[in-house]
Amino acid sequence: MMTQISILGCGWLGLPLAKALLENSFTVNGSTTSTDKLSVLNNMGIQAFQIELSEAKIQGEVDSFLKNSATLIIDIPPKLRGNSKEDFVAKIKNLIPFIEKSTVDNVLFISSTSVYGEDNSFVTEETKLNPDSESGRQLVQVEQLLQDNPSFKTTILRFGGLIGEDRNPIKFLAGRTNVENPSAPINLIHQEDCIGIILEILRQAQNDKLERNETFNAAAPFHPGRKDYYTQKAIEFNLPLPEFKGEISSFGKTISSSKIEKKLGYTFVKPNL
């Protein structure tokens, strides 16, 4: 059984994930786009590769990066904020032929709950996809592209908003005025749970307990309204309070993680954020 894993994208989540995999007796090939970060990865015990996906081609030793790995984790988000509008689908299309000819049997694609859009609903994995953002639309296409490929199994993991010790949306919202949707529910997940869920998915995939093309939503089972949550966080972090609009009607989805809890038997480490 091959216990080597390739992680495409050793960033905010990918790097601590690689560390956790090493601690769980996996060997890890990790990619970064930055020359400076190669030594950081190598010093941690990760076999580092500089790989850059573009819409036209892929730069870097992708064959070596995938060689002897049974699992590939794709953890690179679409860069669609601000003015940079990339074709994320084209980038993944360029990657697929390399996966097809490699030893990779399982692909774990880190997606987002933005594939569901923002309408008021209780969202499970059965909910119809209805993205209302460009990144959400491209993620839907990439999920489909990977799951339709017969050369490997693809597990889709759709995370809510990612938070951690160093990262919370209150840092962007502090002191802002006229913030919308005060009573819309939050759908966030802590970095520790992201890693815990990925480890559990890998464990079950190794033991052939996962069905082909499985999809999971992952957000902590904690959905207070935005105003309540971010006001509390501002106080905790000693930041200026955000001011929310006074309107009563807010809209927003509530992401259910009950499939992860039941099917994977996973218990959230940080259920209350």
Side-chain angles (χ1 to χ4, degrees):
M1 186 181 290
M2 280 187 278
T3 55
Q4 179 178 289
I5 290 183
S6 295
I7 301 178
L8 186 69
C10 285
W12 182 83
L13 176 60
L15 193 59
L17 169 62
K19 191 166 176 273
L21 288 169
L22 292 170
E23 287 163 4
N24 281 271
S25 307
F26 290 94
T27 51
V28 180
N29 287 357
S31 87
T32 176
T33 55
S34 119
T35 314
D36 302 345
K37 216 165 162 189
L38 291 169
S39 58
V40 176
L41 298 186
N42 283 322
N43 289 338
M44 283 174 64
I46 301 161
Q47 178 75 30
F49 294 84
Q50 188 171 2
I51 291 171
E52 180 117 34
L53 271 66
S54 74
E55 294 160 21
K57 62 179 193 308
I58 299 185
Q59 289 170 293
E61 297 176 26
V62 185
D63 289 324
S64 306
F65 165 68
L66 296 174
K67 191 179 181 184
N68 297 331
S69 286
T71 299
L72 167 65
I73 298 172
I74 302 176
D75 184 22
I76 49 169
K79 292 194 185 83
L80 293 161
R81 295 217 172 104
N83 296 322
S84 60
K85 295 278 185 275
E86 67 167 17
D87 187 343
F88 186 63
V89 182
K91 287 170 79 164
I92 300 298
K93 276 184 178 166
N94 289 338
L95 176 66
I96 287 175
F98 290 94
I99 308 173
E100 287 174 339
K101 63 181 182 184
S102 74
T103 49
V104 170
D105 294 324
N106 290 296
V107 171
L108 174 56
F109 179 63
I110 305 300
S111 187
S112 156
T113 53
S114 64
V115 297
Y116 294 111
E118 275 307 331
D119 45 351
N120 280 321
S121 58
F122 182 73
V123 173
T124 71
E125 289 78 0
E126 308 303 313
T127 302
K128 187 173 179 293
L129 301 183
N130 182 27
D132 50 20
S133 67
E134 182 54 32
S135 65
R137 284 188 279 275
Q138 293 208 29
L139 285 169
V140 169
Q141 286 179 264
V142 168
E143 287 184 4
Q144 204 63 59
L145 202 61
L146 291 168
Q147 288 200 324
D148 285 349
N149 194 302
S151 302
F152 45 82
K153 286 184 195 168
T154 298
T155 305
I156 305 290
L157 184 51
R158 297 175 180 146
F159 283 134
L162 303 176
I163 66 165
E165 303 315 320
D166 61 335
R167 175 170 170 166
N168 190 293
I170 186 54
K171 294 185 179 174
F172 308 108
L173 293 174
R176 287 196 20 203
T177 55
N178 275 335
V179 182
E180 297 194 344
N181 281 342
S183 57
I186 64 156
N187 294 287
L188 301 175
I189 184 166
H190 195 280
Q191 187 187 64
E192 280 182 43
D193 280 311
C194 296
I195 291 169
I197 289 164
I198 291 170
L199 289 175
E200 190 52 45
I201 285 172
L202 296 174
R203 212 169 281 132
Q204 300 213 8
Q206 271 192 327
N207 298 327
D208 281 333
K209 286 184 176 170
L210 277 191
E211 291 164 36
R212 189 178 185 87
N213 294 353
E214 195 67 91
T215 300
F216 296 100
N217 292 335
F222 177 66
H223 307 281
R226 283 159 50 84
K227 182 177 180 179
D228 292 346
Y229 177 74
Y230 290 121
T231 302
Q232 178 60 40
K233 283 292 154 194
I235 293 165
E236 273 177 42
F237 284 108
N238 208 6
L239 293 167
L241 300 185
E243 286 177 32
F244 284 81
K245 282 190 173 171
E247 91 273 16
I248 303 304
S249 63
S250 292
F251 66 97
K253 56 187 182 269
T254 299
I255 302 289
S256 164
S257 285
S258 63
K259 183 178 175 184
I260 272 185
E261 294 173 311
K262 288 177 188 148
K263 192 150 195 175
L264 292 181
Y266 184 77
T267 304
F268 279 82
V269 185
K270 301 267 188 183
N272 299 323
L273 303 174

